[in-house]
Amino acid sequence: MQRQIVNVLGNVTRQVRSNQRAFSVTPKKREIFKVQSSEDFDKKVKNSQEPVIVDFFATWCNPCKLLTPRIETIVGEQAGSIKLAKVDIDEHSELALDYDVGAVPVLMVMQNGKEVQRMVGLQDEDKIRAWVATAVKNAKQ
Amino acid sequence: MLMFKALRNSRLPRSVLLLRFASSATTTSNCKYDYDLVVLGGGSGGLACAKEAVEYGAHVLCFDFVKPTPAGTKWGVGGTCVNVGCIPKKLMHQASLLGEAVHEAVAYGWNVNDQNIKPDWKKLVKSVQDHIKSVNWVTRVDLRDKKVEYVNSIGRFVDPHTIEYIQKQGERKQLTAKYVVVAVGGRPRYPSIPGATEFGITSDDIFSYEKEPGRTLVVGAGYVGLECACFLKGLGYDPTVMVRSIVLRGFDRQMSEFLAAMMLERGIRFLNTTIPLAVERRADGKLLVKYQNTTTKTDGSDVFDTVLWAIGRKGLTEDLNLGAAGVQTYNDKIIVDHTEATNVPHIFAVGDIIYGRPELTPVAILSGRLLARRLFAGSTQLMDYTDVATTVFTPLEYSCVGMSEEMAIEKMGAENIEVFHAYYKPTEFFIPQKSVRHCYLKAVAEVSGDQKILGLHYIGPVAGEVIQGFAAALKSGLTVKTLLNTVGIHPTTAEEFTRLSITKRSGRDPTPASCCS
């Protein structure tokens, strides 16, 4: 049921985009979100039923600026089978350090509260797509 | 023996008994402290000391906290150098040099339109700040990787071994340390005149300033003031430098005057022997500054977009409650001996907070590291504060190592000194016809024997790069004989040191006739 609603929303926003309206819409509000606190992280990432990709980024990091829209698009294509949580490492430094974030951007897949995949640095779309597909496949098993 | 019996009869659990017996049987210096080393201040000196200490197995905690400026500016871990000093200064200096380079490029045949080029101040500030934030992050990761605990609070003394701090949530906490290193550095001073803090900014603010600086008054003629005025000029703004008495106090007089002349030639205005009296904001938002020329005793005023105070820096002793630890201070600085120890044997200080030492990042870093080695690795090596090379990053830079000419004359007598000097013309300056009037260097040496070199001074491009190697040579006992027998690298400006031949004493003209012979 949730998935159907989400798909309908997705169709609506695709129409919005093709009409070239001048506002931006976050297509899947529940699937892509910015982490607000460590409690928020525990609730929506560690305790999530679906796997979650955590995007550790910084506002001062140019490769991060290029990566985030790419990963958002690719996660959007997964139609709810995987979520995206964005973590600003300056706002949540302890959290980022706890997960051994050094250079950014870092993409990390969390499943059942554990890290299962990690990708460091900006990659091209095909690589990211393949990486996400692996995460989705492993989660289904 | 009696104490042991008393402990046994006290019916305490065995583990507590053992602990109490152990601590009562040993001297107080072996008492367990929470940390081997607590460092107050996460800047150049503090971090270097902390990170070196953990290499030798010490359990270390580092406090760092930035009180916002009156204008509200604050920054992350790393200290003055990383956030509001050397790093952003060098980047803005580079930005202003690149503006000049665009014009020079035209002379070299590039088809660039160099008319009316303007900098995008906001873009420059964003690029500089992005870099600084990345360094803040790398610093935090490094501290974490090296297992140095980091607390973003001010640490205050409660007693000589106890530090108190307030957590973000407001809870007061205390911890004890075997050794404490105070490395809290300094901040810019504000003058005590009306409007100073409300309307003026400092180097703490300029590198993240949201507005374009525009027509700027820089009050102060130390290297901070001169460097700021110069990069503002290079970026196309209109700076004026207000000088209380002399430029670059403490530096070689002749070279300092040359640098001021170079800045004048580039169109930077100087208000000499002038002090500010008051700053007011006008209805149109601009700042009216009233001042007095102390030589002519006349008052004046002028209107600026920005007023930047660069009148000196004060040490941050006030928040530390040093009295609770019994540490002696001199004004706002801490007095230390040749081992960086304060009057309290286990409390040390490094960096800008100490009295009477060069306030430079590499000095703080090396002294911090050597101190850590003495405390935790059994080293006996002390910090050598003599012959420290330094550079003033004006568009023609000034770098020097060793004694100024007047210091050499004072120490050894004019008759025992020989000064070799020369003007020179950098090869790259001819085509764009850049002014070489202030391209000058000199070597101050002993007059007899192989003529040990006491000081080297250079004004020109990339002065820091030129002098760095010579600093090592000076430390090794460089003589004029060796210098003049060193084959120069050609064509460079550094090779001019190997071509020195004319002495001041001879009275001959030190201007070069030709280049390669």
Side-chain angles (χ1 to χ4, degrees):
Chain A
M1 175 64 171
Q2 251 180 345
R3 195 161 287 189
Q4 284 168 329
I5 293 174
V6 158
N7 277 338
V8 164
L9 280 173
N11 288 335
V12 166
T13 53
R14 274 189 276 276
Q15 282 167 4
V16 166
R17 280 207 198 101
S18 66
N19 284 344
Q20 314 248 319
R21 298 272 282 277
F23 57 86
S24 72
V25 182
T26 314
K28 325 256 183 239
K29 274 212 174 91
R30 276 172 237 144
E31 293 188 349
I32 298 179
F33 57 92
K34 191 161 175 269
V35 170
Q36 302 296 318
S37 64
S38 43
E39 292 78 24
D40 198 35
F41 185 82
D42 286 342
K43 199 174 85 171
K44 292 199 194 141
V45 179
K46 285 174 89 168
N47 297 333
S48 163
Q49 306 280 43
E50 298 87 5
V52 183
I53 298 173
V54 185
D55 174 8
F56 290 100
F57 72 93
T59 52
W60 37 261
C61 159
N62 283 329
C64 301
K65 291 198 175 79
L66 296 170
L67 178 67
T68 298
R70 283 184 204 175
I71 186 66
E72 279 179 353
T73 308
I74 292 167
V75 164
E77 292 163 6
Q78 305 308 316
S81 54
I82 196 162
K83 299 199 280 191
L84 177 66
K86 297 187 280 189
V87 176
D88 180 327
I89 64 173
D90 286 324
E91 282 173 21
H92 310 289
S93 298
E94 289 300 329
L95 181 63
L97 290 169
D98 283 342
Y99 285 97
D100 274 317
V101 173
V104 277
V106 169
L107 292 179
M108 178 182 81
V109 178
M110 278 216 102
Q111 203 173 300
N112 300 323
K114 289 208 190 67
E115 171 183 334
V116 292
Q117 266 173 242
R118 177 180 288 240
M119 182 191 279
V120 179
L122 178 66
Q123 313 287 345
D124 61 37
E125 270 197 45
D126 293 331
K127 275 224 180 72
I128 302 174
R129 203 168 267 121
W131 185 80
V132 171
T134 312
V136 170
K137 195 172 73 146
N138 291 340
K140 288 202 171 109
Q141 288 164 356
Chain B
M1 250 341 253
L2 276 171
M3 198 163 39
F4 186 46
K5 272 203 182 136
L7 281 172
R8 249 203 323 183
N9 293 338
S10 64
R11 295 207 194 98
L12 289 166
R14 181 174 270 175
S15 52
V16 176
L17 267 181
L18 280 168
L19 201 63
R20 290 207 183 165
F21 178 67
S23 60
S24 65
T26 55
T27 59
T28 46
S29 65
N30 285 351
C31 263
K32 193 80 174 89
Y33 295 104
D34 298 324
Y35 294 91
D36 297 313
L37 172 66
V38 164
V39 177
L40 302 180
S44 305
L47 292 178
C49 188
K51 291 195 276 189
E52 185 80 10
V54 293
E55 297 284 318
Y56 304 112
H59 186 204
V60 183
L61 183 142
C62 181
F63 284 101
D64 186 69
F65 189 79
V66 178
K67 283 165 88 168
T69 70
T73 316
K74 47 185 187 172
W75 49 90
V77 71
T80 297
C81 173
V82 165
N83 293 286
V84 286
C86 329
I87 302 295
K89 176 267 295 283
K90 190 82 191 292
L91 294 175
M92 293 215 166
H93 171 60
Q94 178 68 358
S96 82
L97 288 180
L98 287 170
E100 266 183 57
V102 172
H103 295 298
E104 291 171 45
V106 172
Y108 277 93
W110 284 98
N111 273 331
V112 285
N113 177 8
D114 71 327
Q115 296 308 305
N116 299 318
I117 54 168
K118 274 160 60 73
D120 183 339
W121 173 259
K122 286 200 164 64
K123 185 166 176 198
L124 171 60
V125 167
K126 175 144 202 322
S127 302
V128 169
Q129 290 303 314
D130 281 353
H131 174 66
I132 290 172
K133 287 181 187 141
S134 78
V135 177
N136 293 143
W137 177 252
V138 166
T139 305
R140 284 213 64 185
V141 172
D142 200 24
L143 286 173
R144 175 96 169 197
D145 289 347
K146 293 196 155 79
K147 306 220 185 333
V148 174
E149 281 182 54
Y150 159 70
V151 174
N152 184 216
S153 297
I154 298 182
R156 289 186 176 84
F157 282 98
V158 172
D159 68 46
H161 281 281
T162 310
I163 308 279
E164 178 188 73
Y165 64 102
I166 302 175
Q167 285 188 314
K168 288 256 183 321
Q169 302 86 340
E171 198 189 321
R172 261 176 213 280
K173 295 202 82 173
Q174 285 191 359
L175 45 85
T176 56
K178 185 170 177 203
Y179 297 111
V180 181
V181 172
V182 182
V184 295
R187 293 288 286 269
R189 284 183 202 281
Y190 287 78
S192 337
I193 60 172
T197 42
E198 301 93 295
F199 305 123
I201 60 168
T202 67
S203 57
D204 281 354
D205 307 294
I206 188 69
F207 302 114
S208 54
Y209 205 41
E210 282 158 1
K211 307 182 350 193
E212 275 198 274
R215 188 159 193 267
T216 306
L217 174 66
V218 176
V219 180
Y223 69 82
V224 173
L226 297 190
E227 286 173 348
C228 286
C230 284
F231 72 67
L232 288 172
K233 180 68 182 169
L235 291 168
Y237 302 114
D238 176 18
T240 301
V241 178
M242 185 179 283
V243 184
R244 183 182 60 179
S245 60
I246 56 171
V247 298
L248 290 179
R249 182 179 300 280
F251 285 81
D252 186 279
R253 238 357 49 217
Q254 178 197 21
M255 305 304 280
S256 303
E257 297 300 326
F258 268 41
L259 214 63
M262 181 270 300
M263 290 170 66
L264 259 175
E265 191 187 38
R266 282 159 174 267
I268 296 174
R269 270 205 316 150
F270 279 82
L271 288 170
N272 285 303
T273 64
T274 303
I275 53 170
L277 299 173
V279 184
E280 299 162 15
R281 194 189 288 284
R282 298 196 323 189
D284 63 359
K286 292 190 196 279
L287 301 173
L288 175 70
V289 180
K290 298 196 180 124
Y291 49 79
Q292 187 190 72
N293 184 318
T294 54
T295 312
T296 62
K297 298 275 189 280
T298 50
D299 286 2
S301 69
D302 206 346
V303 180
F304 302 94
D305 297 308
T306 306
V307 175
L308 186 108
W309 309 115
I311 60 171
R313 296 174 67 84
K314 65 181 207 299
L316 292 177
T317 48
E318 60 199 3
D319 293 314
L320 303 176
N321 199 19
L322 289 170
V327 173
Q328 267 172 11
T329 59
Y330 182 74
N331 294 333
D332 47 48
K333 298 282 181 79
I334 295 180
I335 303 173
V336 298
D337 65 16
H338 56 289
T339 70
E340 285 80 40
T342 65
N343 56 304
V344 181
H346 69 276
I347 301 179
F348 301 81
V350 294
D352 286 4
I353 195 65
I354 63 185
Y355 173 73
R357 301 287 192 213
E359 289 178 24
L360 296 166
T361 281
V363 170
I365 291 176
L366 185 54
S367 62
R369 287 209 186 117
L370 293 177
L371 173 62
R373 283 180 216 161
R374 291 197 302 274
L375 292 178
F376 299 108
S379 164
T380 51
Q381 189 187 353
L382 298 174
M383 176 68 187
D384 181 3
Y385 289 96
T386 61
D387 296 332
V388 171
T390 183
T391 301
V392 180
F393 290 95
T394 43
L396 273 192
E397 299 170 11
Y398 166 42
S399 190
C400 59
V401 62
M403 292 190 207
S404 64
E405 192 175 331
E406 49 269 19
M407 199 188 305
I409 290 172
E410 192 191 306
K411 275 191 98 167
M412 328 223 0
E415 65 282 5
N416 295 320
I417 298 294
E418 192 77 89
V419 181
F420 294 82
H421 67 156
Y423 288 92
Y424 65 93
K425 298 175 183 167
T427 309
E428 302 89 337
F429 280 33
F430 288 105
I431 290 179
Q433 293 185 295
K434 275 179 81 160
S435 166
V436 298
R437 186 181 280 123
H438 303 103
C439 291
Y440 175 86
L441 49 84
K442 67 181 180 183
V444 179
E446 290 176 0
V447 76
S448 51
D450 288 345
Q451 297 186 280
K452 181 166 180 306
I453 293 191
L454 305 165
L456 292 169
H457 300 262
Y458 167 97
I459 291 179
V462 295
E465 311 290 359
V466 168
I467 288 290
Q468 180 66 87
F470 284 110
L474 200 101
K475 231 176 159 68
S476 311
L478 181 66
T479 60
V480 172
K481 182 167 179 233
T482 304
L483 183 60
L484 298 187
N485 279 309
T486 305
V487 177
I489 303 171
H490 185 69
T492 63
T493 54
E495 66 171 314
E496 298 295 334
F497 275 113
T498 66
R499 286 159 48 87
L500 285 168
S501 58
I502 293 172
T503 63
K504 280 195 177 179
R505 184 171 273 125
S506 69
R508 282 159 55 205
D509 180 6
T511 311
S514 65
C515 145
C516 308
S517 62

